[in-house]
Amino acid sequence: MRLFDAAEIDAALSFPALIDTLAEAFRSDGVMPPRNHYTVERPTGKGVLLVMPAWSAPSAEKGYIGTKVVSVFFENGKRNLPGVMGAYLLMDGDTGRPLAVFDGNRLTVWRTAAASALAARYMADEDASKMLMVGAGALAPFLIKAHRSVRPLTDIAIWARRPEAAVEVADALALEGIEVRATTDLEGEARTADIISCATNAREPLIHGHWLKRTAHLDLIGAFTMEMRETDADALHRARVVVDSAKAIDEGGDVAVAIKEGSYSADKVAGTLTDLCRGTIAGPAEDGGITLFKSVGVSIEDLAAATAVWENSQRG
């Protein structure tokens, strides 16, 4: 059984190839059982254990089974550790034989960024040139690179609660030849951005609906619990809303929070990423306007990314 670390995953994946792989996965009949949440009680506080299984469609020529096991410990920042850590196990779909274990964090940032860019490929203005990245965590550089692969972005700004963190991400991307500027003007940048991507641990809205210009696309990733929120209900009401899965309606932040508090209705959600990929709904509305994609992460994305890494490694 092989072990794939972060460097090997980086070497095996690219944008937009992974975006195309995810599109195929969402069009398929892959199986995604409900993910399981377990609360872990420790003297230092509560943690969460997530188990996310998926397997290939019965009709798939070559089948795989995969499971991601993720821990979430919000106090880890005080220990200089990531709040989210995990591993991914890939198995042969016909025999159940374990094939490989992957660095779960690295696989997650790749597939999460690819899913957001996949949604943007359907929903964002085709001429989108200005992007605002909100948050400077591990996902930020991947989201920037993923969105650059589907839209002609020429002006990219990054904002973070700690300005020095935004500078660090901008400097790191500069080494890869990607020009990004750090900003402290969140509202000003949000008012003119074509694409706004949020990946934060915010518990109160950072982006307000009345800031958004009519052609904006809002990409929400960070709020994955009912205690978290990156935008307000006004943004939801102004936008055509698509979610990655039903979990975003009843479990994750933003959309689910607004529904629970009564400021938004689930029947206003246009559909899911599966609907977009299968062509059963359109990205923007017929008369255009703001679009919004809410992601909480689904297991078919992990399976698709792990399979891509595995199959690429077998070819070379």
Side-chain angles (χ1 to χ4, degrees):
M1 185 169 60
R2 274 197 68 175
L3 175 64
F4 287 89
D5 61 19
E8 290 172 303
I9 292 171
D10 289 349
L13 297 178
S14 66
F15 301 119
L18 181 58
I19 298 168
D20 291 337
T21 298
L22 259 61
E24 292 175 10
F26 277 104
R27 284 192 291 266
S28 77
D29 293 317
V31 181
M32 294 184 288
R35 63 187 182 190
N36 290 316
H37 291 220
Y38 303 95
T39 299
V40 180
E41 299 280 356
R42 298 297 303 155
T44 54
K46 290 183 180 180
V48 178
L49 184 69
L50 304 176
V51 181
M52 300 173 62
W55 52 87
S56 305
S59 59
E61 184 176 345
K62 185 167 183 57
Y64 295 94
I65 304 168
T67 302
K68 186 164 72 174
V69 180
V70 179
S71 65
V72 184
F73 283 83
F74 292 104
E75 297 300 311
N76 274 1
K78 300 176 182 177
R79 307 180 182 101
N80 292 318
L81 291 172
V84 180
M85 292 186 279
Y88 194 85
L89 172 65
L90 184 68
M91 307 165 74
D92 185 289
D94 296 319
T95 66
R97 177 173 65 92
L99 300 173
V101 174
F102 303 79
D103 180 311
N105 287 40
R106 202 60 161 196
L107 199 71
T108 298
V109 293
W110 271 99
R111 64 81 151 152
T112 303
S116 282
L118 174 60
R121 193 164 72 180
Y122 286 101
M123 302 178 75
D125 187 338
E126 291 187 1
D127 297 321
S129 61
K130 185 171 183 178
M131 176 182 179
L132 170 61
M133 180 70 233
V134 181
L139 259 170
F142 288 86
L143 285 162
I144 289 169
K145 287 186 275 191
H147 282 294
R148 283 180 79 248
S149 74
V150 297
R151 287 296 182 267
L153 301 175
T154 57
D155 182 7
I156 303 171
I158 180 168
W159 178 93
R161 290 189 187 276
R162 294 189 305 110
E164 62 273 21
V167 172
E168 289 172 6
V169 173
D171 288 346
L173 287 170
L175 297 176
E176 300 181 47
I178 301 172
E179 185 176 343
V180 176
R181 54 187 178 82
T183 182
T184 57
D185 183 9
L186 179 61
E187 179 178 349
E189 295 291 345
R191 285 183 177 276
T192 59
D194 299 308
I195 295 175
I196 303 172
S197 187
C198 300
T200 73
N201 289 324
R203 292 180 176 271
E204 298 293 335
L206 292 169
I207 301 297
H208 298 275
H210 69 273
W211 291 355
L212 305 176
K213 68 179 188 179
R214 192 176 183 278
T215 56
H217 173 67
L218 183 55
D219 174 38
L220 302 174
I221 301 128
F224 58 90
T225 73
M226 296 296 285
E227 292 74 41
M228 303 171 75
R229 202 167 189 177
E230 294 183 306
T231 197
D232 58 12
D234 185 39
L236 301 178
H237 283 292
R238 293 191 65 202
R240 178 174 174 80
V241 177
V242 171
V243 296
D244 64 353
S245 68
K247 288 294 182 185
I249 297 175
D250 57 32
E251 185 179 291
D254 295 311
V255 177
V257 172
I259 292 171
K260 183 179 180 181
E261 70 181 16
S263 60
Y264 188 70
S265 174
D267 60 12
K268 292 185 177 181
V269 174
T272 66
L273 191 49
T274 295
D275 296 324
L276 278 180
C277 292
R278 292 181 177 178
T280 56
I281 64 169
E286 288 185 7
D287 58 350
I290 297 167
T291 56
L292 185 154
F293 174 65
K294 173 59 190 169
S295 169
V296 294
V298 292
S299 57
I300 201 70
E301 298 167 359
D302 297 297
L303 180 64
T307 300
V309 174
W310 171 255
E311 293 188 344
N312 286 339
S313 73
Q314 297 304 294
R315 297 188 189 103

